[in-house]
Amino acid sequence: MFIDEIEVSATAGHGGPGKVSFFPGYRTSPDGGIGGSGGSVYFKVNHNLATLAKFTQMRAIKAEHGYAGQSNLCDGKKGADLFVDVPPGTAIIDLETQQEEEVPLDGTPLLWCKGGKGGRGNASFKSSRHTAPRTAQPGLPGETRRVKLIMRLIADYGLIGLPNAGKSSLLNEITAAKVKTAAYAFTTLEPNLATLHGTVLADIPGLIEGASSGRGLGIKFLKHIEKVKMLLHCISSESDNLKRDYLTIRQELGQFNPALLEKPEHILLTKSDLISPSELKKIIRQLKAINAKVLVISIHDADALDDLKKLLT
């Protein structure tokens, strides 16, 4: 199952309690140690993960508590830090403060919840006026934060367009992908990644008018377009209104995130083998009036596919 958003609670370890103790035979010589600090919670990128599915079974993330202080001035052991693996492109959002941070791609752990400080033992309270304290601290609680994990695909190119615009068929043809295709809308229900000579392409499930406000597959997959370097806007040659199709998708992109409209974009006029050459010329003129970067594509045209591969590599 492709899971790209999930809410979990993250709790750092409680600090261990300090110890009330005295050296044997010396009731006025305190030897109680300090409790160990609680473990902290870190998030760390694991490039072998592709979704957040594992978190459906671990909605509560907890680091280890610190250990209690001991006699003979021995401090308690620190609780073990918890390093939580997440897929590349994962951002962590604090649901209370809305603070958002992206987990570094280089594997550097991101500290999210700091462990509680250990309590002081009675040896720490000894003074010239108070030589035999019988007081110790319980230790402080670790941070608890309710968070949302959001994974955004990291790809060089994003195939976008209305449902049944030929995105998945095109991805299958130019890469080793084996995405399910059929002659009906919403065949693709989750994003698909594929590589072409080291270049990563993402097939984003078909968008429709109102996607940015939740219609169809809604905003569930629009976020995956935010990281791509270039948009490949697929428009079917069979459309009865190509300009409307183009502007519908552009409107949804802009309403979701205006920055998406600033990304480089090529129009891929798909299924070109299904219309006559004269009609194709007319359509190309219409599209170039909107966007000069138009590439005519058919999965049955080897030369056109080679041109696309050159564009992508």
Side-chain angles (χ1 to χ4, degrees), residues 170 173-175 196-197 268 295-313:
L170 190 57
E173 198 65 34
I174 64 175
T175 72
L196 174 66
H197 304 309
L268 303 184
L295 188 61
V296 179
I297 290 291
S298 166
I299 60 173
H300 304 295
D301 185 338
D303 291 336
L305 293 175
D306 285 342
D307 289 340
L308 177 58
K309 291 177 182 179
K310 290 176 184 177
L311 172 66
L312 301 179
T313 56

Side-chain angles (χ1 to χ4, degrees), residues 47-58:
H47 290 274
N48 294 319
L49 295 178
T51 79
L52 297 170
K54 72 172 189 176
F55 291 97
T56 59
Q57 304 298 322
M58 50 181 297

Side-chain angles (χ1 to χ4, degrees), residues 111-165:
L111 174 62
W112 198 254
C113 295
K114 190 173 182 179
K117 187 176 181 180
R120 295 163 62 192
N122 66 334
S124 301
F125 291 96
K126 182 179 178 180
S127 67
S128 58
R129 292 187 175 184
H130 197 188
T131 59
R134 296 181 177 275
T135 301
Q137 294 175 327
L140 298 176
E143 291 182 311
T144 294
R145 303 172 79 175
R146 184 75 184 167
V147 301
K148 174 182 280 189
L149 308 183
I150 296 182
M151 187 194 77
R152 300 179 178 95
L153 292 178
I154 298 176
D156 298 294
Y157 298 94
L159 290 163
I160 62 171
L162 292 171
N164 225 23

Side-chain angles (χ1 to χ4, degrees), residues 7-54:
E7 293 183 9
V8 299
S9 66
T11 305
H14 197 293
K19 176 77 171 180
V20 175
S21 178
F22 295 88
F23 286 109
Y26 296 91
R27 293 183 178 274
T28 59
S29 297
D31 71 344
I34 300 170
S37 298
S40 298
V41 176
Y42 294 83
F43 288 96
K44 183 174 178 291
V45 161
N46 182 337
H47 290 274
N48 294 319
L49 295 178
T51 79
L52 297 170
K54 72 172 189 176

Side-chain angles (χ1 to χ4, degrees), residues 92-104:
I92 318 293
I93 300 175
D94 186 305
L95 292 175
E96 182 177 348
T97 66
Q98 296 306 306
Q99 171 195 355
E100 178 174 344
E101 290 190 53
E102 189 164 320
V103 184

Side-chain angles (χ1 to χ4, degrees), residues 224-292:
H224 293 300
I225 307 172
E226 292 182 302
K227 286 183 172 291
V228 300
K229 298 175 183 177
M230 179 183 288
L231 300 175
L232 302 174
H233 193 153
C234 297
I235 301 178
S236 173
S237 300
E238 298 178 296
S239 170
D240 58 0
N241 191 328
L242 287 85
K243 182 176 180 179
R244 178 199 61 204
D245 291 354
Y246 176 78
L247 294 179
T248 293
I249 297 299
R250 295 289 292 178
Q251 176 179 315
E252 296 307 318
L253 297 183
Q255 290 180 350
F256 179 74
N257 183 350
L260 295 178
L261 299 179
E262 304 301 319
K263 288 184 178 291
E265 179 191 56
H266 266 74
I267 291 178
L268 303 184
L269 182 59
T270 62
K271 307 181 184 182
S272 60
D273 57 301
L274 299 180
I275 59 175
S276 66
S278 59
E279 186 66 20
L280 185 60
K281 289 181 180 179
K282 178 181 177 182
I283 289 174
I284 293 172
R285 285 197 300 270
Q286 292 176 358
L287 288 178
K288 286 193 172 183
I290 302 172
N291 185 327

